[in-house]
Amino acid sequence: EEVKKTRAEELVALAETIKVLNDDDALDLFNKVLPKPGAESFMQVQVTAASTRARAMKFLKEGVRAGARADRSRFDAIFLALHGKKVGFEKVITMIDGMVSALKTEQKDDDAKQTYCTETMDKTDDKKKELERKASDLEAAIAAAEESIAQLTDEIAALEKGIKALDSAVAEATENRKEENAEYKDLMSSDGTAK
């Protein structure tokens, strides 16, 4: 829409310019400025293939300097085509179009790879956080288990000490009973003899 409007404005401006240039006053002005007809002209009448080739080479060299070093071979092919005298610009334009489409394809591939890498890195970060959380939980469980083991070891030591004390008390009680039983038997036997 805007292009059509701009194009229409350009056509109107061209028509007005042609009208002014065709006017008799303009002709008199040109005759004063240009003393000899055809001596010099404001318009470029002819563009040689060599000048066009030179301009194209200049733009390509600027493109190479601007940072397209990875695709230097493509630029070299275009340079060779421009240096050749028999190659037309159709082939060069085709090569440039091919390079542009290849760059677009590579850009799409790079974008896809970047998306994949970003997603993979996010998943990896999530797994890392989950594993760190599990490790922390396991460390806490190990610490609790070690504390429980220490407590149980103390309780076992206390129980073993209690069992030893009980065994010695039982052994002492057994010894006392044996002595009391021996005394009882002596008493009974002396009672039995006394009767």
Side-chain angles (χ1 to χ4, degrees):
E1 184 69 33
E2 187 175 311
V3 173
K4 288 180 183 179
K5 182 180 176 185
T6 305
R7 179 79 174 156
E9 289 174 357
E10 287 174 353
L11 289 175
V12 168
L14 281 174
E16 289 176 1
T17 303
I18 291 172
K19 184 178 176 185
V20 168
L21 290 175
N22 285 334
D23 192 16
D24 289 335
D25 293 333
L27 181 61
D28 290 338
L29 181 63
F30 277 118
N31 285 335
K32 288 179 186 175
V33 173
L34 299 173
K36 296 179 186 176
E40 289 185 2
S41 175
F42 289 118
M43 295 176 51
Q44 183 176 354
V45 177
Q46 183 180 10
V47 176
T48 63
S51 66
T52 306
R53 197 174 280 127
R55 285 184 63 218
M57 292 285 281
K58 176 185 165 195
F59 287 125
L60 284 173
K61 286 179 183 176
E62 288 175 6
V64 169
R65 273 189 241 119
R69 301 223 187 277
D71 288 332
R72 177 70 191 211
S73 61
R74 292 181 181 158
F75 283 109
D76 290 342
I78 294 172
F79 285 136
L80 284 174
L82 287 174
H83 281 298
K85 303 294 182 196
K86 294 181 181 178
V87 176
F89 277 101
E90 296 79 25
K91 186 173 181 180
V92 173
I93 290 171
T94 304
M95 292 171 76
I96 291 173
D97 289 343
M99 188 185 340
V100 168
S101 70
L103 288 172
K104 285 180 181 178
T105 303
E106 289 176 6
Q107 185 62 46
K108 286 179 185 176
D109 291 345
D110 289 346
D111 291 343
K113 287 177 185 176
Q114 182 180 8
T115 303
Y116 170 77
C117 289
T118 302
E119 290 173 358
T120 304
M121 287 174 61
D122 288 344
K123 288 178 184 177
T124 304
D125 285 344
D126 292 344
K127 284 183 181 179
K128 179 183 174 189
K129 288 177 184 175
E130 182 179 337
L131 290 174
E132 287 175 347
R133 184 182 48 79
K134 283 183 179 179
S136 175
D137 291 347
L138 289 174
E139 287 174 358
I142 288 171
E146 287 175 348
E147 184 179 322
S148 178
I149 288 171
Q151 183 180 0
L152 290 173
T153 303
D154 291 344
E155 289 177 7
I156 288 171
L159 288 173
E160 286 177 346
K161 187 177 178 182
I163 289 171
K164 285 181 183 178
L166 186 61
D167 283 346
S168 65
V170 168
E172 189 178 317
T174 302
E175 194 60 38
N176 286 340
R177 279 194 208 106
K178 283 183 182 176
E179 287 177 10
E180 288 174 0
N181 189 19
E183 287 177 12
Y184 176 73
K185 285 185 182 176
D186 284 343
L187 183 64
M188 289 308 260
S189 81
S190 54
D191 262 358
T193 22
K195 288 189 180 179

